[in-house]
Structure formats: C-alpha cells, structure tokens
Amino acid sequence: MKIRMLPVVITAALSLVLLLGGWFLYRQTALERPVEQILSQYPGVNSAQVNITQNQALLKLDLQSNVDLRGMIAELRKEQGQMFKKRSIVLDIADHSTPDIDALWKEASFSVAEAMASKRYTMIPDTLSKIQSENDEYTISSDMDNHYIYVALSSATDKKANKYIILPLTAAQGTGGQPNA
C-alpha cells in the first residue's frame, strides 16, 4: 500500500485550520466578547479591549475621569467569576495624565509606597486627602478590594485629564518583594 503525500498534507492542514479556528472562535465569542460587553456598558468606560489567555485576562481600557475601578472589577468578577478564578486580571489603562497630575502622584507616591510596605493601608486615603486639600482643582480618590488598591487622580477643570494607578496587594513574583497581604 502506497501512501500518497498530497492528500495526507491537505488533510493535516485542514484539521489544523479547523482546530485553531475553532479555538479562536470560542475564545472570541464565549470568553472575550461577554467581558468586553460588560466593560463597555460600565459608566465612564470609553472603550475596552480584552485579550484572554490561559493564565490572565488583559483588559485594555480607555476611561473617563472618576470611574469606580473597584466597582467595575467587582461587577466583572460577579458576572464572569468562574473565568477569573484561575486567571489574573491585568489592567492596562490609557494614560490621560498632565504634568500637574504627574506631579501630584509624585508627591503622593512615597507615602503610598510606605503605607503599602508597612501594610498600613489607612494612611493612603489620609495622605491623598491632604494633597487634595492643598490642590482644590484636582480630585484624588482611593479604593481597595482583596487584590488591589486603586488610586484615581483627575482634574476638576479638564474632564479628560486623569491618571489611574492600580497597586497589587501582593508583591509580584520574581521581584524579590515580600507578599503584602
């Protein structure tokens, strides 16, 4: 019996295309699209792109000022909780910062880092409210859940100027840092 190579190669190529196409279609329709819809409907989200892999969900977001990040992530975990049990959420938020907002964050970052290192998280809102009281034209807020501390800085006069900082409560693996929570 002589095996003809052309039909074998064509069959293998078609099988590979069907398997990879099926996985891509499943990932797009069953995993990524529902998450994108939840994020797009959340108040203050201009756009959302989602890339889900085996270990993580990368959320690329373009946000307006004063979006409740903790609430958004909580709603996402509530709606799609099973998906995020084995995957970490990585937020990539478009930076609409200004030099003044960057200067405010630079002023606050040392105190925030100190509070994170000493696990005295109540120092963070106190530090931020002190800085905000000295700079009335800016809004500075913080929030916390079991995974992250969320810091939002925005301009009261320019509704498009904002900066979001997401600080993990646990040290990143491989950085030599100690777990923080």
Side-chain angles (χ1 to χ4, degrees):
M1 180 164 140
K2 184 177 179 183
I3 299 177
R4 295 179 13 198
M5 289 304 290
L6 184 61
V8 170
V9 170
I10 289 174
T11 302
L14 284 174
S15 298
L16 184 65
V17 166
L18 285 174
L19 286 173
L20 291 177
W23 166 246
F24 177 77
L25 187 63
Y26 167 74
R27 193 179 89 186
Q28 187 69 21
T29 58
L31 299 178
E32 293 176 356
R33 190 169 296 144
V35 173
E36 281 181 5
Q37 288 176 343
I38 291 169
L39 292 172
S40 297
Q41 293 171 356
Y42 198 81
V45 176
N46 293 329
S47 68
Q49 293 179 339
V50 178
N51 184 15
I52 296 178
T53 63
Q54 184 118 9
N55 299 327
Q56 74 177 12
L58 174 63
L59 311 177
K60 291 186 177 187
L61 303 170
D62 184 9
L63 303 175
Q64 298 172 5
S65 294
N66 300 320
V67 172
D68 178 17
L69 279 177
R70 188 192 61 77
M72 181 179 68
I73 297 300
E75 182 174 328
L76 193 60
R77 286 186 191 278
K78 184 178 100 180
E79 297 288 328
Q80 298 288 324
Q82 194 64 23
M83 180 189 312
F84 296 118
K85 283 188 178 181
K86 296 180 183 175
R87 292 179 178 93
S88 63
I89 297 176
V90 178
L91 298 172
D92 180 10
I93 301 174
D95 189 17
H96 298 292
S97 188
T98 63
D100 291 338
I101 290 175
D102 287 336
L104 287 175
W105 174 242
K106 186 175 180 182
E107 182 180 340
S109 63
F110 184 77
S111 297
V112 170
E114 180 182 17
M116 297 282 293
S118 65
K119 297 182 185 178
R120 297 178 67 202
Y121 303 118
T122 56
M123 290 174 50
I124 294 172
D126 295 340
T127 300
L128 296 178
S129 65
K130 179 183 173 200
I131 292 171
Q132 181 177 344
S133 67
E134 297 167 358
N135 300 282
D136 291 337
E137 62 274 3
Y138 295 96
T139 302
I140 305 171
S141 64
S142 64
D143 212 341
M144 180 178 169
D145 63 14
N146 293 339
H147 304 282
Y148 300 103
I149 291 180
Y150 307 95
V151 179
L153 298 97
S154 61
S155 172
T157 57
D158 183 2
K159 296 296 180 190
K160 293 182 181 180
N162 60 51
K163 182 178 193 79
Y164 291 95
I165 298 97
I166 297 98
L167 304 167
L169 289 178
T170 57
Q173 296 297 322
T175 61
Q178 296 298 317
N180 215 11

